[in-house]
Amino acid sequence: MELTGKQRAQLRAMANELEPIVHIGKDGIGENLVKQANDALEARELIKCRVLDNSMLTAREACDELSRLTRSEQVQVIGTKFVLYRETHAKPKEKRIALVKDKKKKTV
């Protein structure tokens, strides 16, 4: 699913209040970290991650790799933090994040 600009803005606003729950350190992105991120995405849909000072990766590199490995959408990268989104099917529909829909312009 490709996020629209409006959807990214909506998710960025929601992410402001989130604390990082996935921390990437000197060991980089391994199997356990990917499992932790997948579990968090399945439970919450929107997560904030942080690259620690001792990591060999930049936030952009970590975001690119972790989003690829978790099949999630990149929402935002700022400094040492980044936000990922992936729609879950484990929650009832009414408890999922409802993304804004872009209205398509009709041409006459």
Side-chain angles (χ1 to χ4, degrees):
M1 167 187 182
E2 182 70 27
L3 296 172
T4 67
K6 284 183 181 181
Q7 290 170 333
R8 283 185 200 286
Q10 175 190 3
L11 291 169
R12 280 194 305 267
M14 293 172 74
N16 282 335
E17 64 189 45
L18 296 179
E19 291 296 321
I21 59 172
V22 175
H23 300 275
I24 302 162
K26 65 178 178 168
D27 295 332
I29 298 174
E31 191 176 310
N32 287 335
L33 191 125
V34 172
K35 183 182 178 337
Q36 178 188 8
N38 271 321
D39 290 347
L41 284 163
E42 196 60 26
R44 301 171 187 209
E45 295 182 290
L46 186 68
I47 63 170
K48 188 179 282 186
C49 306
R50 180 170 175 244
V51 177
L52 303 176
D53 292 337
N54 64 351
S55 177
M56 300 294 280
L57 298 171
T58 66
R60 170 55 60 199
E61 293 167 335
C63 184
D64 288 345
E65 186 173 349
L66 196 54
S67 69
R68 180 181 57 78
L69 292 170
T70 59
R71 296 182 181 178
S72 58
E73 293 288 330
Q74 299 178 16
V75 175
Q76 182 178 40
V77 179
I78 294 181
T80 60
K81 297 176 184 154
F82 61 93
V83 179
L84 298 175
Y85 168 78
R86 185 178 71 204
E87 184 179 15
T88 183
H89 298 288
K91 295 165 116 179
K93 215 171 197 170
E94 61 274 1
K95 293 194 178 194
R96 295 183 201 163
I97 295 173
L99 293 177
V100 293
K101 303 277 187 214
D102 276 346
K103 294 179 182 173
K104 300 206 181 218
K105 295 181 182 176
K106 292 183 179 181
T107 56
V108 181

